[in-house]
Amino acid sequence: GEDVEQSLFLSVREGDSSVINCTYTDSSSTYLYWYKQEPGAGLQLLTYIFSNMDMKQDQRLTVLLNKKDKHLSLRIADTQTGDSAIYFCAESTDGNKLVFGAGTILRVKS
Amino acid sequence: DAGVIQSPRHEVTEMGQEVTLRCKLISGHNSLFWYRQTMMRGLELLIYFNNNVPIDDSGMPEDRFSAKMPNASFSTLKIQPSEPRDSAVYFCASSSGTGVIGSGEQFFGPGTRLTVL
């Protein structure tokens, strides 16, 4: 079945860039997403990319997709303490049923 | 809009008891998703509805779990009888199904933390 894998933990200093990586197995994935979960809250969509794109930039966020290697990354420029959260990668073939990774805990040190 | 509303926020119950979790969708949304989050298994999709109709319930663990949408804006997830291994945070999410990514933009509620003793 589909599988999405992420590294468990990332620690960065405030002002540095953060790069969170994700790999997926489903070659028919059409949509790929990054969601953010803050403590005690539900997930919130940060950004998404279609499988026919290589890159998408949205303010401090840059998503890179290597479809051949089924590798997705999220880069956060000028990381702030408010960016501390859990980041989930997710994929979908139909835009309805999403398969989420286990999440990467991002810790930003001031 | 108030966003997706879930109740209760916390539930502590004893093994064998019935538990009902509630969710109110964002007005105008027509897709509803129930998820379960645990440390061991991460975030799992249990079931999703589109226009009040269950589309995929393959994630529902077993017959003890049931979900309904009695109307377009409200859903319940029931566990009967509950077991300690059901302890988790249960999220519901809704989506409008419109826009370039369809139901991929899901709006999550704050979750219900269930503890079964």
Side-chain angles (χ1 to χ4, degrees):
Chain A
E2 310 95 341
D3 193 23
V4 177
E5 293 194 357
Q6 302 177 234
S7 52
L8 195 57
F9 184 77
L10 176 65
S11 180
V12 300
R13 292 195 179 281
E14 191 174 20
D16 288 351
S17 291
S18 306
V19 179
I20 302 171
N21 294 301
C22 168
T23 57
Y24 59 98
T25 59
D26 191 346
S27 57
S28 58
S29 296
T30 304
Y31 309 89
L32 296 133
Y33 314 87
W34 284 103
Y35 274 79
K36 176 183 180 182
Q37 184 180 28
E38 296 184 353
L43 280 69
Q44 178 184 18
L45 179 67
L46 274 182
T47 187
Y48 62 89
I49 190 168
F50 296 111
S51 61
N52 61 357
M53 297 166 65
D54 298 323
M55 185 184 88
K56 182 180 181 184
Q57 187 149 2
D58 185 359
Q59 298 182 350
R60 292 191 297 121
L61 305 178
T62 303
V63 179
L64 295 178
L65 174 61
N66 182 326
K67 193 174 178 181
K68 175 176 167 289
D69 294 339
K70 299 190 189 68
H71 181 267
L72 184 73
S73 67
L74 174 69
R75 178 177 180 268
I76 305 172
D78 187 25
T79 312
Q80 303 297 307
T81 55
D83 295 324
S84 293
I86 304 176
Y87 290 80
F88 291 88
C89 169
E91 63 87 15
S92 178
T93 54
D94 63 0
N96 291 308
K97 185 172 179 177
L98 273 61
V99 177
F100 285 87
T104 299
I105 300 169
L106 174 64
R107 179 187 166 207
V108 182
K109 295 178 285 187
S110 57
Chain B
D1 200 313
V4 174
I5 299 172
Q6 290 188 247
S7 64
R9 293 295 311 275
H10 301 272
E11 176 82 24
V12 180
T13 191
E14 291 189 345
M15 184 173 66
Q17 297 298 306
E18 178 180 295
V19 175
T20 300
L21 311 181
R22 296 175 175 79
C23 175
K24 184 174 185 298
L25 285 69
I26 291 173
S27 177
H29 283 191
N30 63 351
S31 295
L32 182 281
F33 305 81
W34 279 104
Y35 292 91
R36 177 171 68 177
Q37 185 178 38
T38 62
M39 289 291 292
M40 291 298 295
R41 300 171 71 93
L43 193 67
E44 304 172 276
L45 176 66
L46 300 177
I47 185 170
Y48 81 91
F49 295 81
N50 186 252
N51 293 323
N52 301 7
V53 177
I55 303 300
D56 186 338
D57 65 354
S58 59
M60 293 287 263
E62 48 201 89
D63 292 345
R64 296 185 298 108
F65 285 68
S66 62
K68 293 182 180 178
M69 280 198 75
N71 58 57
S73 60
F74 185 73
S75 178
T76 59
L77 178 68
K78 188 175 291 188
I79 309 172
Q80 165 64 14
S82 58
E83 296 182 4
R85 61 192 166 117
D86 301 330
S87 297
V89 180
Y90 290 81
F91 289 101
C92 76
S94 73
S95 175
S96 67
T98 60
V100 293
I101 56 170
S103 295
E105 182 169 16
Q106 298 180 11
F107 294 80
F108 281 70
T112 295
R113 182 172 295 277
L114 173 64
T115 303
V116 183
L117 302 173

